[in-house]
Amino acid sequence: MQKALDKDEIKKMRVACKMAAQVLRYTSDLIKPGMTTLEVDQIADDYTKTIGGISACIGYHGYPFATCISVNQVVCHGLPGSYVIKDGDILNLDVTVKKDGFFGDNSKTIMIGEVSDQAKDVVKTAYEAMMIGIESITPKGWTGDIGFETNKFVTRKGYTTIKEIGGHGIGRVFHSEPFVPAFGKKGKGEKLRPFTCFTVEPMINEGTEDFIEKSIHGSSIKYYETADGKLSAQFEHTILLTDTGYEILTLE
Ligand code: MF3
Ligand code: CO
Ligand code: CO
């Protein structure tokens, strides 16, 4: 179980999370068709340094980049590279900043130029799914409360949620318990603990929930694509649970 954070640790989490939000907003505002995902990654890394943070992904289990950039059918952990961003793409940018020993993690899916109505709907559903999950958080609640509401909402829209990958505890370490899935049962899963932080980051697929695992050279981190090649979208916030409710920390 995660240890409760004291006042000073919470202060540091606030700083790291705010920085992660700044990097995400700054970088995503500059994304244009014609850029490569590697150029986007470089902007994020440079800006993280400018504001005094560390890109937490670099070197994490051998992962070579500052960000994960997951385009269209890529579910998560997409690798920045020579891919040229084009009109009509949906692109998830995932940024994690380390500051003073603490981690802030967030992501969003942006739409490049004119995207199809279907793509718009998948992205909107992913955002709403994250927010509905967050709104179900209570001080005495369970991870299953979040997953239950998320999956119910997504299924009713005719889409699917990824089951094996999801949110995680975060603080002095990048990834810890609890696992915060995008499906589950109310009152089940792991108990949420006041004054700890965790992420809510559902991955929503347009078609099948099945995915293909791909390896990343030199890293034990995998990246994932939808098995049917249809779209996947995701949003992520880092949350602080208190004794009276919750706070979204990855806001500017
Ligand atoms: N930011 C991702 C998450 O939401 C983790 C990326 S780990 C990396 O948990 F090594 F792939 F960068
Ligand atoms: Co995360
Ligand atoms: Co993330």
Side-chain angles (χ1 to χ4, degrees), residues 101-156:
F102 288 82
F103 292 83
D105 188 6
N106 63 359
S107 86
K108 70 178 171 192
T109 300
I110 61 166
M111 298 180 276
I112 312 296
E114 269 306 302
V115 306
S116 68
D117 288 346
Q118 177 66 11
K120 271 183 206 156
D121 195 55
V122 173
V123 172
K124 181 169 176 270
T125 302
Y127 179 74
E128 290 172 353
M130 174 188 67
M131 290 311 297
I132 282 167
I134 291 172
E135 284 158 13
S136 75
I137 296 169
T138 58
K140 290 194 179 333
W142 298 76
T143 57
D145 305 344
I146 302 168
F148 174 77
E149 295 301 338
T150 304
N151 194 54
K152 183 174 75 180
F153 173 74
V154 171
T155 308
R156 283 184 182 167

